[in-house]
Amino acid sequence: MHHSAENPSNNVTPLPSNEAGHLVLPFGHDEFSEFIRSLLGRPQAIARNVPGPFEIEIRDVRNLHHLIDQRVAQQNECTLVEFHATIAFDDGSAVEFQSMDDLLNYNEVRSVVSYGLHVEWVYLVRFQDRQLPERQKIAMSFSSGTSQRHFTRDIQSSFMAMPCDGDMFFRIEHTARTWGADIEALLGNHLQNLRKQVSPIKTFIRGHSGKVAFGVGTAFFVTALTVSFAVTGSFASARIAEMSAMLESLEVEGQVAVTAQLKIIADFIAAGAWARYYLGLLVFVVGALILSVIFTVWVDSAGSKQEPSFVLLTRRSFLNKEAALRKLNRTWLSFGLGLIASVVTGVLANLVFAWMFLS
């Protein structure tokens, strides 16, 4: 009797194409439910805005990545499951990256200025007091001073809680309060190091530019009023003395003396000395008021210019930085010239007014 060899593959029943397969996970039902909740549940959040000015280059981004990754790994078992970065440019475009290596190796060939940077890290962290890993998210945004209206809606949506112009912002979504507080302190201290050191005098002037400008304009106008009152008193005294001397010089008496005195008074009034003085006083006071407003606006506009921030991720960005700093230096020069011009103009105007009516 002949027996044919059995093929083991003939005993395998193929899975129908319309039936789904099954995945077996090494979790119990309760553990799996808890794991899903840790991924999809609503975590707590910490958000903080760090005001500029600041400068950030690609090496700063790399250092920041290593700082976060080392701190998270030192404390607990963790896995970086997602990385996302977006660079926004001044022409309204943006470039997105899905890995740190892609971001570090990126070389923009277009002549554009990078104005915004947004970076996100998503970790699965298993804390020591918990059995399953939980999702933690760190997001950071940097804005170097351009309005979001220059970005399209799609680009704006990739920037979570984009900071104010020239600010740095971070947001931490966590499921462990102590872990979130530790990362907040880490990022807060690190971002402080990215801030540029600004002279205390410049900081004071920027913070109180309106008051400084108002003080300059007020001092100019008050000085002009004080001089006008002093000149008016001196002018009146001089005219009275002049008329008294003319009246005392008469050598006639009686009715002839009275007639002569009236003629002297009439001639003095007809000469229009006081009319000319009042006209000059009006021009001087109105001119002082106009100049005080001009100096107030001048000093305020120059002193209120904020120190610029820079996201230096393209070659054009470095050129833009140099141009912005030159413009800022001219602004401080304008501020100083405004102060000097207010003083010099005030002194010259007061001297000319006094010379015209007291000489």
Side-chain angles (χ1 to χ4, degrees):
M1 181 180 295
H2 176 72
H3 297 280
S4 62
E6 294 183 358
N7 188 352
S9 60
N10 294 334
N11 298 328
V12 178
T13 303
L15 186 68
S17 59
N18 59 346
E19 292 187 13
H22 301 277
L23 176 65
V24 179
L25 297 176
F27 295 121
H29 180 272
D30 295 337
E31 292 178 330
F32 182 72
S33 299
E34 183 180 352
F35 177 70
I36 294 299
R37 284 196 301 269
S38 69
L39 295 179
L40 304 180
R42 189 164 198 165
Q44 302 179 52
I46 301 175
R48 182 175 170 185
N49 190 71
V50 180
F54 69 89
E55 288 185 13
I56 184 169
E57 301 181 30
I58 192 63
R59 65 171 181 267
D60 298 312
V61 180
R62 180 179 59 248
N63 294 338
L64 181 61
H65 173 73
H66 292 327
L67 180 70
I68 294 175
D69 201 56
Q70 290 175 4
R71 176 59 64 90
V72 176
Q74 285 174 355
Q75 296 175 334
N76 303 279
E77 297 179 13
C78 68
T79 302
L80 179 62
V81 296
E82 182 181 347
F83 175 87
H84 179 81
T86 303
I87 301 176
F89 302 103
D90 60 342
D91 63 348
S93 63
V95 177
E96 297 186 358
F97 307 90
Q98 302 302 325
S99 72
M100 176 56 70
D101 290 337
D102 292 341
L103 176 60
L104 297 178
N105 296 324
Y106 177 71
N107 184 21
E108 178 58 57
V109 296
R110 297 175 300 160
S111 179
V112 291
V113 177
S114 52
Y115 275 105
L117 171 66
H118 178 75
V119 189
E120 292 182 0
W121 297 264
V122 177
Y123 286 92
L124 283 182
V125 180
R126 190 180 74 82
F127 299 106
Q128 297 178 0
D129 58 344
R130 303 180 187 179
Q131 296 181 351
L132 299 175
E134 298 175 344
R135 182 178 183 271
Q136 319 295 319
K137 181 178 179 180
I138 302 172
M140 305 190 69
S141 296
F142 302 86
S143 173
S144 65
T146 187
S147 174
Q148 291 185 47
R149 67 176 178 270
H150 294 157
F151 300 140
T152 64
R153 183 178 300 275
D154 293 337
I155 297 175
Q156 288 187 37
S157 63
S158 66
F159 281 72
M160 181 188 63
M162 191 68 180
C164 301
D165 291 348
D167 286 358
M168 299 173 281
F169 176 87
F170 66 85
R171 177 183 172 88
I172 305 167
E173 297 180 6
H174 61 90
T175 58
R177 183 179 297 275
T178 55
W179 184 89
D182 180 70
I183 299 299
E184 177 193 12
L186 176 72
L187 297 182
N189 293 333
H190 185 74
L191 293 186
Q192 290 293 339
N193 296 330
L194 293 179
R195 297 182 62 189
K196 295 189 294 184
Q197 296 298 323
V198 182
S199 169
I201 296 178
K202 292 182 179 180
T203 301
F204 176 82
I205 292 176
R206 288 193 182 97
H208 303 83
S209 61
K211 296 179 181 178
V212 173
F214 180 77
V216 171
T218 301
F220 182 89
F221 186 66
V222 169
T223 301
L225 288 181
T226 302
V227 171
S228 65
F229 279 118
V231 171
T232 300
S234 299
F235 182 82
S237 299
R239 299 290 79 75
I240 292 174
E242 180 183 352
M243 182 173 291
S244 297
M246 294 174 61
L247 293 176
E248 291 176 357
S249 65
L250 293 176
E251 297 179 353
V252 294
E253 298 180 354
Q255 186 66 30
V256 177
V258 174
T259 303
Q261 292 174 350
L262 292 176
K263 185 176 183 304
I264 291 174
I265 295 174
D267 292 341
F268 182 82
I269 295 175
W274 277 103
R276 292 195 301 273
Y277 175 76
Y278 283 135
L279 178 61
L281 179 63
L282 177 63
V283 173
F284 177 72
V285 173
V286 173
L289 178 61
I290 294 175
L291 286 176
S292 67
V293 174
I294 292 175
F295 287 130
T296 298
V297 175
W298 181 353
V299 173
D300 182 43
S301 61
S304 61
K305 296 296 183 182
Q306 296 297 319
E307 191 82 15
S309 297
F310 302 100
V311 178
L312 304 172
L313 300 178
T314 64
R315 289 189 295 269
R316 178 70 182 278
S317 298
F318 287 92
L319 299 177
N320 178 71
K321 172 188 172 181
E322 296 176 0
L325 292 181
R326 288 195 298 267
K327 183 178 179 181
L328 182 64
N329 292 333
R330 290 195 297 268
T331 299
W332 283 116
L333 178 62
S334 176
F335 177 82
L337 290 177
L339 295 179
I340 296 174
S342 66
V343 175
V344 173
T345 304
V347 172
L348 292 178
N350 292 328
L351 290 176
V352 170
F353 179 71
W355 172 79
M356 289 179 59
F357 294 100
L358 296 182
S359 58

